[in-house]
mmCIF file of all heavy atoms in Angstrom:
data_model
loop_
_atom_site.group_PDB
_atom_site.id
_atom_site.type_symbol
_atom_site.label_atom_id
_atom_site.label_comp_id
_atom_site.label_asym_id
_atom_site.label_seq_id
_atom_site.Cartn_x
_atom_site.Cartn_y
_atom_site.Cartn_z
ATOM 1 N N ASP A 309 -15.345 -1.737 24.684
ATOM 2 C CA ASP A 309 -16.663 -1.887 24.075
ATOM 3 C C ASP A 309 -16.481 -2.383 22.630
ATOM 4 O O ASP A 309 -16.204 -1.602 21.715
ATOM 5 C CB ASP A 309 -17.396 -0.542 24.104
ATOM 6 C CG ASP A 309 -18.859 -0.680 23.697
ATOM 7 O OD1 ASP A 309 -19.179 -1.636 22.956
ATOM 8 O OD2 ASP A 309 -19.673 0.163 24.117
ATOM 9 N N ALA A 310 -16.657 -3.688 22.449
ATOM 10 C CA ALA A 310 -16.434 -4.286 21.126
ATOM 11 C C ALA A 310 -17.529 -3.885 20.131
ATOM 12 O O ALA A 310 -17.295 -3.871 18.924
ATOM 13 C CB ALA A 310 -16.363 -5.798 21.249
ATOM 14 N N VAL A 311 -18.698 -3.527 20.644
ATOM 15 C CA VAL A 311 -19.791 -3.119 19.745
ATOM 16 C C VAL A 311 -19.392 -1.827 19.023
ATOM 17 O O VAL A 311 -19.523 -1.701 17.800
ATOM 18 C CB VAL A 311 -21.098 -2.871 20.534
ATOM 19 C CG1 VAL A 311 -22.222 -2.475 19.609
ATOM 20 C CG2 VAL A 311 -21.468 -4.100 21.343
ATOM 21 N N LEU A 312 -18.902 -0.878 19.813
ATOM 22 C CA LEU A 312 -18.527 0.417 19.231
ATOM 23 C C LEU A 312 -17.365 0.278 18.261
ATOM 24 O O LEU A 312 -17.364 0.897 17.192
ATOM 25 C CB LEU A 312 -18.144 1.399 20.346
ATOM 26 C CG LEU A 312 -19.253 1.823 21.288
ATOM 27 C CD1 LEU A 312 -18.741 2.849 22.287
ATOM 28 C CD2 LEU A 312 -20.430 2.399 20.512
ATOM 29 N N VAL A 313 -16.395 -0.529 18.621
ATOM 30 C CA VAL A 313 -15.226 -0.647 17.737
ATOM 31 C C VAL A 313 -15.596 -1.407 16.466
ATOM 32 O O VAL A 313 -15.128 -1.072 15.377
ATOM 33 C CB VAL A 313 -14.018 -1.269 18.484
ATOM 34 C CG1 VAL A 313 -12.829 -1.418 17.548
ATOM 35 C CG2 VAL A 313 -13.631 -0.401 19.680
ATOM 36 N N ARG A 314 -16.483 -2.395 16.594
ATOM 37 C CA ARG A 314 -16.940 -3.117 15.391
ATOM 38 C C ARG A 314 -17.628 -2.132 14.430
ATOM 39 O O ARG A 314 -17.442 -2.161 13.219
ATOM 40 C CB ARG A 314 -17.895 -4.234 15.814
ATOM 41 C CG ARG A 314 -18.338 -5.138 14.691
ATOM 42 C CD ARG A 314 -18.973 -6.410 15.222
ATOM 43 N NE ARG A 314 -20.148 -6.136 16.053
ATOM 44 C CZ ARG A 314 -20.377 -6.684 17.242
ATOM 45 N NH1 ARG A 314 -19.514 -7.544 17.752
ATOM 46 N NH2 ARG A 314 -21.457 -6.389 17.927
ATOM 47 N N GLN A 315 -18.415 -1.245 15.015
ATOM 48 C CA GLN A 315 -19.103 -0.223 14.204
ATOM 49 C C GLN A 315 -18.073 0.686 13.524
ATOM 50 O O GLN A 315 -18.194 1.045 12.359
ATOM 51 C CB GLN A 315 -20.021 0.597 15.125
ATOM 52 C CG GLN A 315 -20.959 1.519 14.392
ATOM 53 C CD GLN A 315 -22.221 1.807 15.209
ATOM 54 O OE1 GLN A 315 -22.664 0.988 16.007
ATOM 55 N NE2 GLN A 315 -22.804 2.973 15.016
ATOM 56 N N SER A 316 -17.048 1.030 14.278
ATOM 57 C CA SER A 316 -15.984 1.883 13.773
ATOM 58 C C SER A 316 -15.215 1.203 12.638
ATOM 59 O O SER A 316 -14.814 1.856 11.672
ATOM 60 C CB SER A 316 -15.033 2.144 14.940
ATOM 61 O OG SER A 316 -14.504 3.388 14.868
ATOM 62 N N VAL A 317 -15.027 -0.083 12.757
ATOM 63 C CA VAL A 317 -14.333 -0.847 11.712
ATOM 64 C C VAL A 317 -15.116 -0.704 10.405
ATOM 65 O O VAL A 317 -14.552 -0.469 9.334
ATOM 66 C CB VAL A 317 -14.176 -2.339 12.125
ATOM 67 C CG1 VAL A 317 -13.755 -3.205 10.939
ATOM 68 C CG2 VAL A 317 -13.158 -2.473 13.256
ATOM 69 N N ALA A 318 -16.437 -0.778 10.510
ATOM 70 C CA ALA A 318 -17.274 -0.649 9.308
ATOM 71 C C ALA A 318 -17.274 0.791 8.779
ATOM 72 O O ALA A 318 -17.088 1.024 7.584
ATOM 73 C CB ALA A 318 -18.702 -1.083 9.631
ATOM 74 N N LEU A 319 -17.462 1.760 9.666
ATOM 75 C CA LEU A 319 -17.584 3.162 9.239
ATOM 76 C C LEU A 319 -16.324 3.702 8.580
ATOM 77 O O LEU A 319 -16.394 4.579 7.720
ATOM 78 C CB LEU A 319 -17.891 4.053 10.452
ATOM 79 C CG LEU A 319 -19.258 3.889 11.104
ATOM 80 C CD1 LEU A 319 -19.313 4.640 12.416
ATOM 81 C CD2 LEU A 319 -20.348 4.389 10.161
ATOM 82 N N ASN A 320 -15.189 3.173 9.009
ATOM 83 C CA ASN A 320 -13.914 3.673 8.493
ATOM 84 C C ASN A 320 -13.290 2.781 7.437
ATOM 85 O O ASN A 320 -12.275 3.141 6.849
ATOM 86 C CB ASN A 320 -12.908 3.802 9.646
ATOM 87 C CG ASN A 320 -13.268 4.908 10.610
ATOM 88 O OD1 ASN A 320 -13.054 6.079 10.307
ATOM 89 N ND2 ASN A 320 -13.826 4.558 11.752
ATOM 90 N N GLY A 321 -13.861 1.600 7.249
ATOM 91 C CA GLY A 321 -13.215 0.643 6.344
ATOM 92 C C GLY A 321 -11.846 0.251 6.876
ATOM 93 O O GLY A 321 -10.862 0.204 6.134
ATOM 94 N N ILE A 322 -11.789 -0.018 8.172
ATOM 95 C CA ILE A 322 -10.506 -0.308 8.823
ATOM 96 C C ILE A 322 -9.889 -1.600 8.275
ATOM 97 O O ILE A 322 -10.557 -2.630 8.196
ATOM 98 C CB ILE A 322 -10.698 -0.373 10.364
ATOM 99 C CG1 ILE A 322 -10.899 1.051 10.907
ATOM 100 C CG2 ILE A 322 -9.544 -1.090 11.059
ATOM 101 C CD1 ILE A 322 -11.196 1.139 12.384
ATOM 102 N N SER A 323 -8.618 -1.514 7.891
ATOM 103 C CA SER A 323 -7.910 -2.691 7.377
ATOM 104 C C SER A 323 -7.319 -3.495 8.530
ATOM 105 O O SER A 323 -7.263 -4.719 8.484
ATOM 106 C CB SER A 323 -6.764 -2.265 6.461
ATOM 107 O OG SER A 323 -7.116 -1.191 5.618
ATOM 108 N N GLY A 324 -6.841 -2.800 9.533
ATOM 109 C CA GLY A 324 -6.249 -3.442 10.704
ATOM 110 C C GLY A 324 -6.183 -2.423 11.822
ATOM 111 O O GLY A 324 -6.357 -1.226 11.584
ATOM 112 N N ILE A 325 -5.956 -2.913 13.045
ATOM 113 C CA ILE A 325 -5.920 -1.957 14.158
ATOM 114 C C ILE A 325 -4.542 -1.927 14.826
ATOM 115 O O ILE A 325 -3.762 -2.867 14.716
ATOM 116 C CB ILE A 325 -6.995 -2.257 15.236
ATOM 117 C CG1 ILE A 325 -6.717 -3.586 15.961
ATOM 118 C CG2 ILE A 325 -8.395 -2.245 14.645
ATOM 119 C CD1 ILE A 325 -7.450 -3.725 17.285
ATOM 120 N N ALA A 326 -4.307 -0.830 15.499
ATOM 121 C CA ALA A 326 -3.179 -0.743 16.423
ATOM 122 C C ALA A 326 -3.820 -0.717 17.797
ATOM 123 O O ALA A 326 -4.586 0.189 18.110
ATOM 124 C CB ALA A 326 -2.378 0.526 16.181
ATOM 125 N N LEU A 327 -3.564 -1.751 18.573
ATOM 126 C CA LEU A 327 -4.138 -1.820 19.918
ATOM 127 C C LEU A 327 -3.138 -1.184 20.882
ATOM 128 O O LEU A 327 -1.963 -1.562 20.903
ATOM 129 C CB LEU A 327 -4.411 -3.281 20.288
ATOM 130 C CG LEU A 327 -5.256 -3.497 21.537
ATOM 131 C CD1 LEU A 327 -6.687 -2.995 21.349
ATOM 132 C CD2 LEU A 327 -5.293 -4.970 21.935
#
Side-chain angles (χ1 to χ4, degrees):
D309 189 334
V311 181
L312 294 183
V313 179
R314 186 165 60 227
Q315 190 154 331
S316 214
V317 167
L319 291 170
N320 291 283
I322 287 176
S323 319
I325 66 162
L327 192 66

